[in-house]
Amino acid sequence: GELSFLPYGKEGQFINSISRRDLNVLLIEEAEKGGAIFRFNQRCVNVDLETTTLTLTPSTSQPVNTSTHQPVNTSTHQHINTSTHQHDIIIGADGAFSAVRGAMQFTDRFNFSQEYIDHGYKELHIPAGSDGVYQLEKNALHIWPRESFMMIALPNPDGSFTCTLFFPFEGPLSFKSLGNDDAILEFFRQHFPDALKLMPGVLQDFHANPSSSLVTMRCFPWVRNNTLLIGDAAHAIVPFYGQGMNAGFEDCRVLNQLLDHYRDDWHKVLPAFQEERKPDTDAIATLALDNFIEMRDLVADADFLLRKKIEAKLHALYPDEWIPLYSMVTFHDNIHYADAYHTGQKQRKIMDEVMRDPDIAATWQTLPFQKIVRQLLP
């Protein structure tokens, strides 16, 4: 029944959640101003990595054989209109289930892994109150941590909140166990009673919105001849650090910097890009998985909350020497994900020692903060 407020960082630091649709429209319009040509409603059915050639077919045509990536014609009277496009460079920015990466997976010495977590997610809704009033604090991400699962709520400009339930697919307490309306309502009454009072459409939302999976994908190399993977096609991650889109944008920034550095020599840029970005994308994938445990479980733990207070004090006293992990990742664009991860591991070991003091709750404000910070130095 208690609320705890955990600032993201210093006063004035915050994150933004934005509309995917609006962002896509903005990016498409800007790309078209730069000369980009978009071909919508087409499926990539083949990628020839030797000749840097794409084969496209209308997405409304017959299914594609996933083992050969070739269109399947089920009728002798039906013709599939395919088109072939040969290019100097192909950049596969086609998402977690990339067709370009699919072609690479049939090549020699290509490493690929995908790992689904046991939890899925379902989107729910808290409407605005009368006259568009927010029914919860609007300047916060709300978390209901329940150890093995959680619900979050993000404020929208219209006064509503978009809620997401992260919940196991199977087990005694899972999506599978909530088989009827009575079970759904009893679940919310027991675990989210305050939120349920604000969710008059919870049953409609629960039935209408799918239970979607969460996956981490890793692969390497990202380059085959003149074809490159970028963004989720190369490194899809779970959403618990809110960095998936940012990591994709950072790919673009780094690629652009390398093009400037090597004067558009793609043969130098492509290998340099994958070598520079791979450690960072592996790090943010691990950080995102770790943050799920923190959000669903640790934020409800008194020792964890005290630990965060001590780290905030360290940062206030020594802002350049001790930067909390979340701040390194989210608010310092000059710190690589990999460097943030390794520094965070050092901080964790130091704080583990600090928290072993049995009287820490009573004495933490008199800790030797300078001595603690010095342990981070090489």
Side-chain angles (χ1 to χ4, degrees):
E2 296 180 358
L3 294 176
S4 299
F5 178 69
L6 281 70
Y8 278 117
K10 295 180 180 179
E11 183 69 27
Q13 289 182 325
F14 56 89
I15 61 173
N16 291 304
S17 175
I18 63 175
S19 162
R20 182 185 296 258
R21 177 193 176 278
D22 292 346
L23 176 66
N24 285 342
V25 170
L26 184 151
L27 291 174
I28 288 169
E29 290 177 347
E30 289 301 311
E32 287 180 330
K33 291 177 185 177
I37 298 171
F38 287 84
R39 295 184 175 91
F40 293 104
N41 300 317
Q42 297 193 44
R43 175 192 287 270
C44 177
V45 294
N46 191 62
V47 182
D48 189 324
L49 301 171
E50 297 298 322
T51 62
T52 323
T53 300
L54 294 172
T55 302
L56 305 178
T57 190
S59 58
T60 54
S61 62
Q62 290 295 306
V64 171
N65 184 323
T66 55
S67 64
T68 63
H69 295 277
Q70 296 297 324
V72 177
N73 192 339
T74 58
S75 169
T76 56
H77 302 291
Q78 185 176 21
H79 176 69
I80 297 177
N81 296 314
T82 61
S83 58
T84 301
H85 307 268
Q86 199 278 330
H87 302 279
D88 296 324
I89 300 289
I90 293 173
I91 300 178
D94 50 338
F97 299 96
S98 164
V100 179
R101 190 191 64 234
M104 289 188 180
Q105 287 175 234
F106 286 91
T107 63
D108 188 38
R109 298 177 63 204
F110 183 84
N111 295 312
F112 171 75
S113 70
Q114 64 179 32
E115 180 182 1
Y116 287 91
I117 64 173
D118 295 334
H119 293 65
Y121 69 93
K122 186 181 288 287
E123 193 169 288
L124 304 168
H125 186 68
I126 293 177
S130 57
D131 299 323
V133 174
Y134 289 90
Q135 299 194 71
L136 297 169
E137 167 58 48
K138 66 178 180 180
N139 292 313
L141 159 65
H142 296 264
I143 308 176
W144 289 262
R146 299 296 182 261
E147 293 188 1
S148 62
F149 60 92
M150 69 175 180
M151 186 169 73
I152 68 171
L154 289 165
N156 297 313
D158 64 0
S160 68
F161 286 81
T162 298
C163 302
T164 309
L165 174 64
F166 296 97
F167 202 43
F169 277 107
E170 298 175 331
L173 202 56
S174 63
F175 283 122
K176 189 175 181 179
S177 72
L178 304 183
N180 56 57
D181 289 356
D182 289 342
I184 295 168
L185 289 175
E186 179 56 29
F187 167 74
F188 277 90
R189 288 191 196 103
Q190 182 177 350
H191 296 283
F192 309 112
D194 57 335
L196 180 60
K197 296 173 183 177
L198 309 177
M199 304 169 74
V202 65
L203 287 176
Q204 293 92 322
D205 291 340
F206 201 93
H207 292 306
N209 296 330
S211 301
S212 303
S213 58
L214 296 162
V215 65
T216 299
M217 291 184 173
R218 292 180 170 94
C219 68
F220 200 77
W222 297 350
V223 176
R224 276 287 188 256
N225 298 326
N226 293 322
T227 298
L228 168 70
L229 298 175
I230 196 171
D232 280 0
H235 48 78
I237 63 174
V238 294
F240 302 112
Y241 232 108
Q243 288 291 311
M245 179 182 70
N246 288 345
F249 281 147
E250 190 167 80
D251 281 352
C252 298
R253 176 173 62 79
V254 171
L255 182 61
N256 200 46
Q257 289 173 339
L258 289 170
L259 284 165
D260 289 341
H261 178 75
Y262 289 109
R263 299 183 180 182
D264 296 343
D265 186 338
W266 285 92
H267 291 98
K268 294 180 179 178
V269 168
L270 294 180
F273 174 79
Q274 67 175 357
E275 292 298 327
E276 179 170 341
R277 288 298 288 158
K278 175 64 172 172
D280 285 328
T281 58
D282 282 348
I284 192 58
T286 301
L287 286 166
L289 289 166
D290 290 347
N291 209 46
F292 180 36
I293 298 171
E294 182 170 310
M295 293 175 72
R296 81 182 191 213
D297 187 355
L298 298 181
V299 294
D301 181 78
D303 286 345
F304 177 82
L305 297 177
L306 176 57
R307 189 181 185 119
K308 288 296 181 184
K309 283 184 180 180
I310 296 172
E311 289 202 67
K313 181 76 170 180
L314 286 164
H315 184 46
L317 292 172
Y318 304 97
D320 296 326
E321 289 82 7
W322 189 286
I323 305 172
L325 176 59
Y326 192 93
S327 295
M328 283 192 285
V329 171
T330 308
F331 302 122
H332 291 263
D333 57 6
N334 61 324
I335 299 178
H336 287 252
Y337 289 133
D339 294 337
Y341 175 75
H342 292 306
T343 301
Q345 292 296 101
K346 291 181 182 178
Q347 291 175 335
R348 175 182 292 182
K349 291 180 180 178
I350 294 169
M351 288 302 300
D352 284 346
E353 287 297 317
V354 170
M355 296 302 293
R356 285 194 177 97
D357 183 345
D359 298 320
I360 188 66
T363 63
W364 72 270
Q365 297 201 55
T366 60
L367 284 167
F369 292 105
Q370 187 177 44
K371 183 179 178 181
I372 293 171
V373 167
R374 284 177 178 168
Q375 295 179 61
L376 270 182
L377 299 176

